[in-house]
């Protein structure tokens, strides 16, 4: 509730800020016209918290959608890329299934396959662990690490899951009440002198909660 997903939507150009700048390479996303914004968005991938899959389309068609929209490829090439991307996320046999037939973890991975369909250098992932049990969440963390290493992707991940942060995070930006409380490496976060940051990484409750239990 501190603005993590809202910040991500601004960084993707899905929301427009009322003031300020959002700098991406040499451009300000906040000042881009529709054509410039569309060109920028083709260079990023977005994996939504709810997977964002279209329930009326098969998993394969969901992954193929950005390829058909922007890829300028023939049908055979698109089909080959879809199979490859689904294989990379462990869904090689799910191409012809409908999203409703998949588990929550599988839908997350299918959404990730669509996000990497155009080989973007940058992928935004909103709450990848949300709604998943610890085993599935850990498996998704491993997949993110594997894709980063294999494809050279930079992931920007919104999460409040401490285990995932420690497992996949290189640099951490922590928001508190809509403000930046910390920005730095994981090691710097663990040793921060900011009380709120220390409280988060030590997983300590707020004082009023602790007092209620006394």
């Amino acid at each position: 509730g501190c603005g993590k997903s809202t910040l991500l939507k601004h960084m993707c150009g899905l929301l427009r800020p009322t003031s300020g700048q959002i700098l991406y390479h040499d451009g300000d996303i906040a000042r881009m016209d529709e054509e410039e914004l569309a060109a920028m968005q083709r260079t990023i991938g977005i994996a939504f918290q709810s997977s964002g899959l279209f329930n009326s389309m098969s998993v394969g068609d969901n992954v193929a959608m950005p390829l058909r929209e922007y890829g300028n490829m023939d049908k055979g090439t698109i089909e080959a890329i879809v199979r490859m991307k689904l294989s990379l996320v462990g869904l090689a046999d799910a191409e012809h299934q409908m999203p409703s037939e998949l588990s929550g973890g599988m839908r997350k991975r299918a959404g990730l396959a669509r996000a990497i369909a155009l080989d973007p250098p940058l992928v935004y992932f909103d709450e990848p662990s949300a709604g998943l049990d610890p085993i599935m969440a850990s498996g998704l963390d491993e997949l993110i690490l594997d894709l980063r290493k294999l494809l050279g992707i930079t992931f920007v991940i919104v999460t409040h899951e401490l285990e995932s942060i420690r497992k996949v995070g290189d640099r951490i930006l922590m928001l508190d009440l809509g403000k930046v409380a910390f920005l730095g490496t994981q090691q710097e976060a663990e040793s921060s002198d900011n009380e709120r940051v220390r409280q988060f990484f030590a997983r300590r409750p707020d004082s009023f909660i602790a007092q209620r239990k006394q």
Side-chain angles (χ1 to χ4, degrees), residues 18-46:
T18 55
S19 63
Q21 294 179 301
I22 305 172
L23 302 179
Y24 179 72
H25 293 295
D26 297 325
D28 179 3
I29 294 174
R31 301 290 176 266
M32 290 179 178
D33 59 31
E34 289 188 9
E35 185 175 332
E36 292 170 328
L37 186 61
M40 181 280 295
Q41 289 173 334
R42 286 196 288 271
T43 70
I44 64 175
I46 307 172

Side-chain angles (χ1 to χ4, degrees), residues 11 18 28 39-40 50-52 58 79 100 115 118 123 133 157 181 184 187 206:
M11 293 165 64
T18 55
D28 179 3
M40 181 280 295
S50 60
S51 78
S58 70
E79 291 175 349
S100 60
L118 290 171
V123 170
D133 64 57
I157 300 171
Q187 183 178 5
D206 284 324

